Amino acid sequence: MRVSTLGTFPLQKPHLPEESSKTVTKQPLPEMVSSLRLLTLTSLFSPSFTRRTTVSLRRRLHLRPPLAAGFSVQSAASSPPETEDRLDHKKSSRAQDPANTDRVITPRSQDFNAWYLDVIANAELADYGPVRGTMVIRPYGYAIWEAIQDYLNVKFKETGHSNMYFPQFIPYSFIEKEASHVEGFSPELALVTIGGGKELEEKLVVRPTSETIVNHMFTQWIHSYRDLPLLINQWANVTRWEMRTKPFVRTLEFLWQEGHTAHATPEEAEKEALQMIDVYTEFAYEQAAIPVIAGRKSKVETFAGADKTYTIEAMMGDRKALQAGTSHNLGQNFSRAFGTQVMDTLALSESKSKIRKFTDENGQRQHVWQTSWAISTRFVGGIIMTHGDDSGLMLPPRIAPIQVVIVPIWKKADEKTGVLNAASSVAGTLKTAGLKVKLDDADQRTPGWKFNFWEMKGVPLRIEIGPRDVSSGSVVISRRDVPGKQGKVFGISMEPSILEAYVKDRLDEIQSSLLQRAISFRDSNIVDVSSYEELKEVISLGKWARGPWSASDADELRVKEETGATIRCFPFEQPQGTKTCLMTGNSAKEVAIFAKSY
Amino acid sequence: MRVSTLGTFPLQKPHLPEESSKTVTKQPLPEMVSSLRLLTLTSLFSPSFTRRTTVSLRRRLHLRPPLAAGFSVQSAASSPPETEDRLDHKKSSRAQDPANTDRVITPRSQDFNAWYLDVIANAELADYGPVRGTMVIRPYGYAIWEAIQDYLNVKFKETGHSNMYFPQFIPYSFIEKEASHVEGFSPELALVTIGGGKELEEKLVVRPTSETIVNHMFTQWIHSYRDLPLLINQWANVTRWEMRTKPFVRTLEFLWQEGHTAHATPEEAEKEALQMIDVYTEFAYEQAAIPVIAGRKSKVETFAGADKTYTIEAMMGDRKALQAGTSHNLGQNFSRAFGTQVMDTLALSESKSKIRKFTDENGQRQHVWQTSWAISTRFVGGIIMTHGDDSGLMLPPRIAPIQVVIVPIWKKADEKTGVLNAASSVAGTLKTAGLKVKLDDADQRTPGWKFNFWEMKGVPLRIEIGPRDVSSGSVVISRRDVPGKQGKVFGISMEPSILEAYVKDRLDEIQSSLLQRAISFRDSNIVDVSSYEELKEVISLGKWARGPWSASDADELRVKEETGATIRCFPFEQPQGTKTCLMTGNSAKEVAIFAKSY
C-alpha cells in the first residue's frame, strides 16, 4: 500500500542537519527588548507626536513594528537549515542597520520573499510560534481563513457532505500498514511517545492526514451499498515535520479541511474527485480572484496513495506556481489496505434503476472506491502572493475581513462632532447593507497614517469624510487597486441608497479587476513551447512553459533536475489539433504545464 | 506559578495500572465480525423484510447495530482501569447473551451509564477511535457541536472577541515554568519526543490548554495600554491524558473554544470573566434548554492559575452535576510568569476620561490582568444526559440538526406519487421558512421503523403524510417530547402559511417545555440543608444539597471524602436573610451547592 499524501503540501524529505531537531527558538533578553521598544514607544506617545507630518509619521511608526521584531528575533535565534526560510534577510538588510529600519515593506520587485514576510508581519496576519516552523495565525489572517471556510463549508454541504471529527492521534501501525511501500514518510511525522507520564507501548502519530484512521472507521460503518456514498469532511489541524518552512505556505502545523468519500463504483469516485476540484476552482476564481489552472497531475507528481490527483495551480507574483488545492481519486488503494468493503451481492447503481452485480469476477466482496480532497491555510499565502503590491496586502472584496474603511478627517475641535456623526452614519448605512465596515475614529493617528495603514492591510475601499464633505453631504472614495488620484472619486452622495449602490458596484469592479489583472499576468507569463530547448529558455526566464508531452517519467525527472521545473498539471483545457511531444517528437495527446513551484 | 487548568474537564490524576499505557484496542478477527454482521444484514435485506411488522422490525434492525458492536468491541479488548468506563456492562448484560440483544436502548432508569452509551451508539453521535479514550464525532453528533459553535461564535464576536489560532505544540519548558508549584500536571500530558525522524532536544507538549503559549505571544504584542483590552478566542482540539474516559464527557482529545483576554485593570478582567459566564448561562438556558446554576467555585475547586473561577453547573438525568463551562479571572498569575506587561507610565482608564497611573506603587510596569473561558464538546454530553429518555435522544429545537422529520406513508403503488409529492412540497415550505427539515422517503424502511428511528435520534417534530392526508390537504404532527397519542395532532393544514406558523409555534413550545421540565427536575432535586447530617442524607439520596457555608478548606475536603460530593458553586442567586454555616454553626455569607459530579 502506498502512503497518503493528500493535500496541498508537497512532501519533501531532505536530509537534515543536526540543528533540525532544535525546536525552540531563544528569546532575546527581556531588558534588551524593553529598551529597544521603550525608545520607539516613547517617540510614539510623546506630546509632539501628533504634529508630525504623515510621511515622517509613517516612517516613524514602522520603525520597529512589534511583529517585524518578532520575526527578526526568531531569525536571529534559529538556524534555518534550508535557504527558503530567509528570515535572516531581514536581519542582515534591515534589522541590524538602523539607517534601513524606516522602510516599511521591502519592495516586491526587490525581494519577493522579504516582501512576503514583511506583508505578513505588518498586516498582522501571522507571527511565529515558539516552536520552529509553527505559526500563530493572528485575527486579521484568521479572518481570511474564516472567509475561505464560510464559502467552502456551504459548498461542501450543498454537495451532500457532512462535517465530522476524527481523533488526531493515529496508531503508528496504521501508518506502517499503509506506508509499507513508501520510503521516507516517517521523516515527516511528529510522534507522541509519552502519555500520562508513561512511555506508550505503541507510538502515536500526530495526524499528517487522515486516510488511515478514516478507513479504519469506514470499515466499521460501511457494510452495504446502502451505506454508500459516504461523504464526509473535517476541518482540522495537521502536522508535518517540514524543514523548509514559510508562513502559510509550509508550516509544521497547519489548518485545513480534508474531505473523504467512499463510493460503490469507480465512476462515482471519479465524478466526486472532479466535482470537488471544480468546487475549488470556482472558489479560487469567484472568491479569491485567483485564476488557477485546473488539471491532472502527471504520474510522477500524483500523490502516492492516489490513482489520480487533480490540482489547481496558481501563479504567484514571482511567477512561481503554488499548488493551491488537490482532489484525489484514491481508487481502492486504501479500502484494500483496510478492508473497507461492501457485503451485498447485489446493489443498485447510481441511476437507482439498474441492478449491478456487487461482487468482482472471483465472487469477492467489493472494496469501496474513494476520494480525498483538501484546501489548507496555504491558500491565504496564495492570496497574499497573487494580489499584493509594494504598499502591502490587496484583498479581493469577497474574502476581505474589512471591505470598506471609513476615515474621518478634521482639524478644528468644532469640526470633530459633525465629521464623526457623518462617518458613523455612513458606517451604519453600509453595515445595514451587509458590508464589512471599519470606522477608524482613533484620535491618536493622523488621516495620512490611517490611509497608509489600511492600504497596507489591503482593504479594498476607503471612504474619507471631512468637514467640507459633511457640508456637501458627500464623501470621497478611494480604491485600493488603483493608486493615487486615479482611484479617488470625490462627491459621492451620502444618501444611503446612492452610497450603498455606488460602494457595492465599486467592490464588484475591484473583485473583477483583481481577477482580470491576475489573468493577464498569468497569460503573459505562460509560453507555448515545442522543444526542450524552448522549455529551458522559458523556465530560465522565470515563466511557465506549456507544451505537448508524452515522454517518460525519467524524462520528466530529468527536466526537474536540469531546470528546477516540474509538470504542474495537464490542464483540463487543452488546445485543439495534433501535438508532438516537445521532448521525444512522438505524438502527444496533451499539453503539460511546467513551472518552478513553492 | 500555578498551572492552568482552564476548561470544563477536571484534572484528575489517579495512579495508573500498567494497562494504562496500552493505547490501541485490538479489533476482533475480521471473519468473526463478518459472520456476525452477515447474519444481521442477510435478515435485513431478505425479501421478506418489508412484510414484517413494525415492532419486530425494530427489534430485528437493532439486533446488533454496527455502532453498538463498535463499542462492545472496544470494551472487550481494552481493560478500563477505572469503573466509570463501563462499556463492559454491555458486554456482560447484552452482547454476550443473544436473548438480550434485541432491546435497543437500556432503560435510563435501569442503568444510566449504559443508557447514555446506547444512545450515543444508536443515534450515531460518536464512536470510539482506535486509540484508547479517543472519540470519533460522527456527523449527527458533530452537527450538535456546530449548532453550539454557531451560536457562541456570534456572541463572542458581538462582545468584541476575534478568532485566531495558536500552535498546538508547546515547549515543555513553558509548562514547567508555569506549573512549577503544581504537582502532577505532567501525568496528564501527551508529549511529542520525535519529530522528523529525530529525537527532539526539548519535548513538546500537545496543548492541554493554551495559557502558556498565549502569554508567550501576548508578551510580544502588548506594549501599551492602547493594545488593551486584547480579546481573542480560538476553536481548537486539546489533549489531556485522562484515564477515566466517557464519550463527550471526558475524552483524551476533545474540541473546545478557549477565550483569552488581557486587560489594563483588575476591574475590567473581573467584568469580562463575569460577562463570559453570562454568555454561557444564556446559551445553556436559551439554546440548550439546560437550566444551569451559575456561580463561583470554592477556593478548593478554583482552578489553579485562576484567582476566581465562575462555572455553570448542570444537573444530569441521574442527578449528578456536570460542570458545563467555566470562566476564570486569572488575575496577574500568567502575566507575571510570562512578563506580559504594559510600559506606558500613564493610561486612560476604561471610562476614557480619567487618567490612570499605570505603574504600581514601586514604579514597576504593570502586568496585565487576564481571563480565560471555555466550553467544550462535553456540552454535547450534557444535552444528551439532560433531555434524553428511554426512547433515546431528545433535542431542543434550537440546537437540533433536524428539527422536523417528514415521513410519507403509502401502501399501494398508486398512492406513492401523490404522497411523495405532498411530502416534498411540505418539506420545501418548511425549508423555505428556515427550518431544518429531513424528508425520509427511503423505500427500504417501514413508517413504523422510521418513527422509532427518528424518535431515537431526538428530532423534535415528526410530520406524517398518508394518502388520506393528501386528499384532505392536511398532515399529522407528533411531538417528540409528548409520547403517544397525547403528542399527536391530526388535520393540520398543508397550506404553507398555516403549516409554517403551526410548526414554528410547536417548536417554540417544545423548546420552552424542555427547559421547564428540566427546571422542575432540577428544583425538585435540590434540598436546602442546615446541618452536615442533613447534607449527608440528601447526598446519599442522590440529590443536591444547598446550605450556608463558611467552613474551612479542610472541612470541604472532609465532605468530599465522606460523601463523594463537592461544592459545585456558590450560586450567584443567593437567598435573603442571615445564614449559619451548616458545618461550623458560624455565620455564613453565602449558601453553597454540594453534589456528586461527572
Side-chain angles (χ1 to χ4, degrees), chain B residues 93-129:
Chain B
S93 75
R94 209 164 56 246
Q96 294 195 328
D97 178 359
N100 270 336
T101 52
D102 52 354
R103 195 170 54 231
V104 184
I105 292 173
T106 307
R108 213 180 81 143
S109 54
Q110 183 185 308
D111 184 334
F112 194 82
N113 187 55
W115 166 83
Y116 177 72
L117 297 176
D118 283 350
V119 169
I120 288 174
N122 283 280
E124 300 187 341
L125 298 171
D127 205 342
Y128 282 109

Side-chain angles (χ1 to χ4, degrees), chain A residues 506-538:
Chain A
R506 287 302 80 66
L507 290 174
D508 284 347
E509 266 178 35
I510 295 169
Q511 182 78 31
S512 152
S513 164
L514 290 187
L515 178 61
Q516 286 310 319
R517 192 184 298 184
I519 289 174
S520 302
F521 179 74
R522 178 195 70 182
D523 291 345
S524 65
N525 283 293
I526 301 180
V527 181
D528 283 309
V529 296
S530 56
S531 71
Y532 187 36
E533 285 312 306
E534 285 177 18
L535 183 149
K536 283 195 276 196
E537 169 74 11
V538 167

Side-chain angles (χ1 to χ4, degrees), chain A residues 5 14-15 30 77 93 100 167 176 197 219 231 274 283 304 395 398 400 415 491 507 517 526 545:
Chain A
T5 52
H15 286 287
S93 76
N100 271 338
E176 279 183 313
T219 297
L231 310 171
L274 286 169
F283 165 72
L395 291 174
R398 289 195 192 141
E415 295 165 350
L507 290 174
R517 192 184 298 184
I526 301 180

Side-chain angles (χ1 to χ4, degrees), chain A residues 16-24 27 33-34 37-38 41 45 66-67 70 127-131 134-140 142-143 146 153 157 162-174 186-204 206-207 213 216-217 219-221 223-226 232 235 237 239 241 243 252-255 341 343-344 348 365 444-445, chain B residues 16-24 27 33-34 37-38 41 45 66-67 70 127-131 134-140 142-143 146 153 157 162-174 186-204 206-207 213 216-217 219-226 232 235 237 239 241 243 252-253 255 341 343-344 348 365 444-445:
Chain A
L16 319 173
E18 285 304 304
E19 305 89 280
S20 63
S21 59
K22 181 176 168 183
T23 56
V24 184
Q27 297 302 317
V33 174
S34 302
R37 281 178 179 152
L38 200 59
L41 289 164
F45 301 110
L67 257 174
D127 206 342
Y128 283 109
V131 175
T134 63
M135 168 176 69
V136 180
I137 307 180
R138 300 188 69 179
Y140 200 64
Y142 197 84
E146 284 181 311
N153 208 33
K157 290 184 179 180
S162 300
N163 285 333
M164 60 180 301
Y165 188 76
F166 292 88
Q168 75 164 341
F169 290 158
I170 300 174
Y172 192 79
S173 58
F174 281 26
S186 61
E188 282 225 330
L189 301 176
L191 299 179
V192 172
T193 62
I194 297 172
K198 295 194 179 254
E199 194 85 21
L200 301 181
E201 276 183 23
E202 178 173 11
K203 294 182 189 73
L204 301 179
V206 185
R207 162 175 65 210
I213 193 165
H216 175 78
M217 299 311 299
T219 297
Q220 297 173 51
W221 300 333
H223 309 292
S224 157
Y225 73 90
R226 292 182 204 272
I232 66 99
W235 294 93
N237 55 341
T239 298
W241 210 265
M243 284 302 122
L252 202 135
E253 179 192 5
F254 55 97
L255 303 181
Q341 54 188 354
M343 295 181 219
D344 314 63
L348 296 172
R365 289 166 196 147
Q444 306 89 26
R445 310 297 194 193
Chain B
L16 318 173
E18 284 307 301
E19 306 90 280
S20 63
S21 59
K22 183 175 168 183
T23 56
V24 184
Q27 297 303 318
V33 173
S34 301
R37 280 178 181 150
L38 200 58
L41 289 163
F45 300 109
L67 257 174
D127 205 342
Y128 282 109
V131 175
T134 63
M135 168 177 68
V136 180
I137 307 180
R138 300 188 70 178
Y140 200 64
Y142 197 84
E146 283 181 312
N153 208 33
K157 290 184 180 180
S162 300
N163 285 333
M164 59 180 302
Y165 188 76
F166 291 87
Q168 75 164 340
F169 290 159
I170 300 174
Y172 192 78
S173 58
F174 282 26
S186 61
E188 284 225 329
L189 301 177
L191 300 179
V192 172
T193 62
I194 296 172
K198 295 193 180 253
E199 194 85 20
L200 301 181
E201 277 183 23
E202 179 172 10
K203 294 181 190 73
L204 301 179
V206 185
R207 159 175 67 209
I213 194 166
H216 175 79
M217 300 311 299
T219 298
Q220 296 172 52
W221 300 333
I222 297 173
H223 309 292
S224 158
Y225 73 90
R226 290 181 206 272
I232 67 97
W235 294 94
N237 55 343
T239 297
W241 209 264
M243 285 302 121
L252 201 137
E253 179 191 6
L255 304 180
Q341 55 188 351
M343 296 180 219
D344 314 61
L348 296 173
R365 288 163 196 149
Q444 306 89 25
R445 309 298 193 193

Side-chain angles (χ1 to χ4, degrees), chain A residues 151-165:
Chain A
Y151 175 91
L152 289 178
N153 208 33
V154 169
K155 290 287 167 191
F156 296 159
K157 290 184 179 180
E158 280 175 7
T159 46
H161 305 87
S162 300
N163 285 333
M164 60 180 301
Y165 188 76

